């Protein structure tokens, strides 16, 4: 009888999204949207509850693809992607109002924003333990996807795309590796923006990026060439030469600690240049993400120091440098907004990034070549690696080297790609296409491409989703 009852209940709910998760009124909007949206929790293993915000497509939700979005960190909230990048609503500076985004990605797709791992944003664990690693996160993200389609069975046959940025460069391909093995999920492709694809390639390319963008100067460049390079090959990643390490520490200070905006070299630094570690209102504030710092050995020492500081009794907050998350924090921690989003009382206050998750995160993958090659070997998935070309956190050159290292057959040689704005056709950047994978740059954009170049980003996303030529 219990089995029969479960079967009957599942039939009754087979064509309807969970009514208790529907957002019926979103504070801060002058006019409520015509499309449906939902916010709630996807419960996975061991009492972990991942918060999601799902916005249906403004076009044809029943047939348009479902697109998962993950921000990076590790430890940063995907609601930042929704509220400041490509969601249907953009947070305003007052932290109270939101306005419609004319270049929202849900114009053509059903967008699922997942706050992952637990401990990030409104996601929480019953045991309040938030140490995790790449493998556990990929499994929990997979289980969350399965739970989403159980709650929203009407979307289970729609095309599925996995997308993300920054440390999403690790999240997305490791998740895709699991999803591609599940025939019940209609995976069609993956897209990663300014992603961490290889620590070694990212570190090595960043030094070239910095020098050729005028940041290092002749003396330092000569020192690096002398002590980090031999026989025409440079190692800026795990070089044991002390003179090389000294030079790389100087590069690190210029790129990340001199006041330059690491996410967009040519943008100003919101809030002004501040110390990377400071105490504000009795709270220790760390301004970095700790995922893309040059010289691997030097980075390990730095992380150990940060973890030791964070272990003190002082509360710790993690803020990305040169970003202003105050409007989002004010909005999402508003009790009326939390009620509208059905946020659990067990959830922590929303913050753009979680220091606890970031500082206790186990990075198991130094590169994701194996995952990309596995996806490419299936010969059926559309893959896009795209980069804003003035980002220094995950620079375009490292990701271009990474895509080239996959040694796929080139179909379209590197060329400009165009999009249209009010002034007519514009150069969006450059693209090179291989069998089933493309590498694309967005000209003049930093780390958060849809924030910096929303029209170009929407054109790129549309062509990716619709399998059109870039």
């Amino acid at each position: 009888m219990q089995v029969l009852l479960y079967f009957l209940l599942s039939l009754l709910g087979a064509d309807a999204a969970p009514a208790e998760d529907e957002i019926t009124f979103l504070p801060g909007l002058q006019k409520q949207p015509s499309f449906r949206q939902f916010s709630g929790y996807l419960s996975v293993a061991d009492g972990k509850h991942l918060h999601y915000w799902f916005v249906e497509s403004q076009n044809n939700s029943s047939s348009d693809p479902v697109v998962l979005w993950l921000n990076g960190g590790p430890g940063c909230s995907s609601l930042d992607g929704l509220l400041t990048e490509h969601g249907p609503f953009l947070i305003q500076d007052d932290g109270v109002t939101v306005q419609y985004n004319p270049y929202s990605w849900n114009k053509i797709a059903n967008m699922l924003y997942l706050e992952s791992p637990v401990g990030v944003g409104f996601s929480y664990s019953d045991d309040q333990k938030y140490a995790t690693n790449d493998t556990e996160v990929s499994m929990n993200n997979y289980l969350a996807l399965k739970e989403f389609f159980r709650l929203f069975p009407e979307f289970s046959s729609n095309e599925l795309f996995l997308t993300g940025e920054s440390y999403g460069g690790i999240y997305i391909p490791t998740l895709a590796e699991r999803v591609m093995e599940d025939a019940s999920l209609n995976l069609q492709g993956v897209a990663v923006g300014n992603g961490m694809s290889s620590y070694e390639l990212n570190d090595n390319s960043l030094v070239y990026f910095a020098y050729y963008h005028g940041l290092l100067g002749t003396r330092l460049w000569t020192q690096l060439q002398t002590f980090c390079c031999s026989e025409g090959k440079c190692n800026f990643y795990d070089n044991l030469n002390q003179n090389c390490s000294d030079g790389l520490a100087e590069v690190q200070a210029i790129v990340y600690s001199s006041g330059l905006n690491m996410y967009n070299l040519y943008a100003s630094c919101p809030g002004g240049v501040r110390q990377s570690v400071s105490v504000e209102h009795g709270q220790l504030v760390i301004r970095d993400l700790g995922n893309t710092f040059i010289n691997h050995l030097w980075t390990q020492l730095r992380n150990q120091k940060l973890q030791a500081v964070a272990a003190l009794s002082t509360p710790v907050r993690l803020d990305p440098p040169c970003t202003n998350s105050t409007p989002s924090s004010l909005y999402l921690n508003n009790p009326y907004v939390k009620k509208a989003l059905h946020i659990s009382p067990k959830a922590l206050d929303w913050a753009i990034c979680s220091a606890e998750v970031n500082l206790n995160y186990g990075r198991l993958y130094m590169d994701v070549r194996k995952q990309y090659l596995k996806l490419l070997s299936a010969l059926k998935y559309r893959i896009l690696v795209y980069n804003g070309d003035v980002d220094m956190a995950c620079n375009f050159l490292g990701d271009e080297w990474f895509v080239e290292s996959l040694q796929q057959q080139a179909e379209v040689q590197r060329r400009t790609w165009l999009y249209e704005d009010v002034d007519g056709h514009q150069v969006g950047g450059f693209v090179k296409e291989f069998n089933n994978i493309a590498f694309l740059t967005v000209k003049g954009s930093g780390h958060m491409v849809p924030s910096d170049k929303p029209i170009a980003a929407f054109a790129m996303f549309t062509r990716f989703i619709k399998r059109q030529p870039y």
Side-chain angles (χ1 to χ4, degrees):
M1 286 298 293
Q2 284 180 317
V3 171
L4 180 61
L5 181 62
Y6 178 82
F7 178 69
L8 289 172
L9 287 172
S10 66
L11 281 178
L12 288 171
D15 61 349
E20 66 274 14
D21 285 359
E22 185 160 9
I23 301 171
T24 55
F25 178 84
L26 187 67
L29 270 179
Q30 277 195 329
K31 182 175 183 246
Q32 295 302 303
S34 57
F35 55 87
R36 298 174 79 195
Q37 54 175 333
F38 300 82
S39 170
Y41 287 90
L42 304 172
S43 296
V44 296
D46 304 321
K48 293 179 170 63
H49 310 278
L50 292 171
H51 174 246
Y52 78 94
W53 189 339
F54 176 59
V55 290
E56 291 190 357
S57 173
Q58 299 182 44
N59 178 44
N60 187 341
S61 61
S62 62
S63 60
D64 284 345
V66 172
V67 177
L68 172 73
W69 174 264
L70 295 173
N71 276 86
C76 297
S77 169
S78 297
L79 297 193
D80 189 52
L82 191 158
L83 290 173
T84 71
E85 296 190 62
H86 47 60
F89 325 110
L90 297 178
I91 189 75
Q92 301 303 292
D93 289 342
D94 60 8
V96 176
T97 55
V98 287
Q99 292 186 0
Y100 283 100
N101 176 9
Y103 307 106
S104 172
W105 288 8
N106 89 316
K107 294 271 188 182
I108 60 167
N110 301 289
M111 297 295 301
L112 172 60
Y113 297 87
L114 184 67
E115 295 199 281
S116 172
V118 289
V120 172
F122 292 129
S123 296
Y124 69 96
S125 177
D126 291 338
D127 62 11
Q128 297 183 325
K129 293 180 180 176
Y130 298 119
T132 188
N133 60 58
D134 289 330
T135 302
E136 184 179 26
V137 168
S138 69
M139 175 54 80
N140 286 334
N141 287 341
Y142 167 70
L143 294 174
L145 264 183
K146 295 288 286 183
E147 178 67 2
F148 171 80
F149 286 113
R150 187 187 72 81
L151 294 175
F152 293 84
E154 65 271 33
F155 293 102
S156 58
S157 62
N158 293 45
E159 292 185 336
L160 172 64
F161 292 89
L162 308 177
T163 65
E165 76 181 15
S166 194
Y167 202 79
I170 304 292
Y171 290 156
I172 293 300
T174 55
L175 171 60
E177 188 177 24
R178 296 184 189 276
V179 172
M180 69 182 290
E181 302 292 342
D182 188 337
S184 71
L185 297 173
N186 187 17
L187 180 64
Q188 295 296 310
V190 304
V192 172
N194 290 74
M196 171 52 73
S197 304
S198 162
Y199 284 87
E200 181 175 0
L201 294 178
N202 190 69
D203 288 2
N204 278 327
S205 59
L206 178 60
V207 180
Y208 287 100
F209 179 100
Y211 176 63
Y212 287 109
H213 280 81
L215 307 186
L216 305 187
T218 304
R219 177 200 56 80
L220 179 53
W221 182 246
T222 302
Q223 179 184 343
L224 294 167
Q225 292 291 299
T226 303
F227 297 113
C228 304
C229 309
S230 63
E231 299 178 4
K233 185 174 174 60
C234 297
N235 177 11
F236 303 124
Y237 172 64
D238 56 2
N239 201 310
L240 298 176
N241 184 301
Q242 185 60 49
N243 289 315
C244 175
S245 293
D246 290 344
L248 290 172
E250 203 173 332
V251 176
Q252 189 272 335
I254 292 167
V255 171
Y256 295 123
S257 306
S258 67
L260 294 170
N261 188 331
M262 64 183 270
Y263 298 116
N264 185 327
L265 174 57
Y266 298 127
S268 60
C269 186
V273 179
R274 290 178 285 177
Q275 290 180 307
S276 58
V277 179
S278 61
V279 177
E280 298 175 11
H281 310 295
Q283 189 176 43
L284 184 72
V285 180
I286 300 173
R287 287 190 183 82
D288 71 43
L289 292 183
N291 66 320
T292 56
F293 289 80
I294 61 171
N295 195 315
H296 191 55
L297 297 177
W298 188 92
T299 302
Q300 289 178 322
L301 294 173
R302 169 200 154 278
N303 285 347
Q304 289 168 7
K305 289 179 183 176
L306 279 182
Q307 286 169 340
V309 171
L312 302 174
S313 57
T314 310
V316 179
R317 190 177 85 234
L318 180 64
D319 275 358
C322 296
T323 58
N324 179 16
S325 63
T326 300
S328 297
S329 295
L330 286 173
Y331 182 76
L332 290 168
N333 288 313
N334 181 315
Y336 295 104
V337 174
K338 290 172 77 169
K339 184 178 180 182
L341 298 179
H342 317 114
I343 301 307
S344 168
K346 296 180 181 178
L348 301 170
D349 285 346
W350 189 89
I352 187 171
C353 300
S354 165
E356 185 173 1
V357 171
N358 180 272
L359 295 174
N360 295 289
Y361 192 93
R363 303 159 198 270
L364 305 180
Y365 295 97
M366 292 299 103
D367 73 61
V368 283
R369 282 189 81 248
K370 181 174 78 73
Q371 287 74 19
Y372 273 90
L373 289 172
K374 189 172 180 180
L375 285 164
L376 288 165
S377 69
L379 303 176
K380 63 179 180 179
Y381 302 117
R382 183 166 168 86
I383 303 173
L384 172 64
V385 175
Y386 66 92
N387 285 69
D389 63 9
V390 293
D391 173 34
M392 296 192 291
C394 296
N395 73 89
F396 81 92
L397 188 58
D399 278 329
E400 185 165 15
W401 287 356
F402 175 78
V403 172
E404 294 280 359
S405 77
L406 300 175
Q407 297 183 317
Q408 300 299 297
Q409 179 68 40
E411 289 187 339
V412 180
Q413 291 301 325
R414 202 174 195 273
R415 60 171 177 84
T416 57
W417 66 275
L418 305 178
Y419 69 96
E420 192 168 4
D421 65 11
V422 292
D423 295 319
H425 285 95
Q426 306 293 335
V427 173
F430 293 86
V431 63
K432 183 175 180 179
E433 296 182 60
F434 305 83
N435 288 333
N436 298 311
I437 185 169
F439 173 75
L440 179 146
T441 65
V442 182
K443 179 177 67 72
S445 173
H447 195 65
M448 285 71 83
V449 171
S451 297
D452 290 344
K453 298 290 182 180
I455 306 175
F458 182 72
M460 171 197 73
F461 177 71
T462 301
R463 293 168 199 176
F464 166 69
I465 290 294
K466 296 188 174 182
R467 294 180 180 78
Q468 296 169 344
Y470 294 105

